Amino acid sequence: MLVTFMSSAPLPAEWRELYGMLGTSSAALIGLLFVATSLHLAEISNEEVFRLRAEYTTLILVSTLLDATAILVPQPMRVLGVMLLAVNLWGLSFPLTLLSRALKIPGSRGRGGFSVHRAEFFIAGYCLGIVGAGAVAAGREWGMYGVTMSYASLLIASIWNGWMIMQGIGRDERKHAKVK
């Protein structure tokens, strides 16, 4: 049984080309998030909602980078599916943890752009990735479409999240400027 699992066909090369581009996008966004966070370090470190969202957005982008890395490593498709399943299950913990922690902060909804609906979008993205990864682990190449839709939705939501963090910081800066 282990021999069958380890000797399954590799993923077709077309997927590797796509994930070379997607992995590069994830790495670039992680770098941009670090720069933006560094430029607004005081605001982010002094506001728990901003800090949590920046932390979990970075972790979500790292999970997408790990997906791309797993896909780019030459390996049998079933092994790839197990790796993708592990990354997506791990990634699912991020929006769940962020949601539970942010809801405990008084007045967190709307502050810093925090949104329960955005957390739900991240959760749905990871669930889609889990289903797709499960299909890949079963040797079904069509599961890669689910993994790819998950990846794209997580990238889009991370960009949206970063933008909302910056808008929240901008609102806070304007409020403090008016007070002075």
Side-chain angles (χ1 to χ4, degrees), residues 47-132:
E47 179 61 53
E48 190 173 7
V49 174
F50 293 149
R51 190 174 57 254
L52 285 172
R53 291 187 59 218
E55 175 186 347
Y56 283 98
T57 300
T58 302
L59 288 170
I60 288 166
L61 287 169
V62 167
S63 77
T64 62
L65 186 58
L66 289 173
D67 271 352
T69 302
I71 291 165
L72 292 172
V73 170
Q75 60 189 321
M77 191 162 54
R78 291 176 188 248
V79 174
L80 170 62
V82 171
M83 291 177 75
L84 293 173
L85 194 55
V87 169
N88 280 276
L89 286 168
W90 176 65
L92 180 60
S93 71
F94 303 143
L96 293 172
T97 304
L98 173 61
L99 185 60
S100 70
R101 290 178 69 186
L103 290 176
K104 293 176 185 172
I105 301 168
S108 66
R109 289 187 185 192
R111 195 168 86 214
F114 177 74
S115 164
V116 172
H117 297 298
R118 195 169 315 110
E120 291 168 347
F121 189 83
F122 278 114
I123 292 166
Y126 277 116
C127 287
L128 185 58
I130 289 166
V131 170

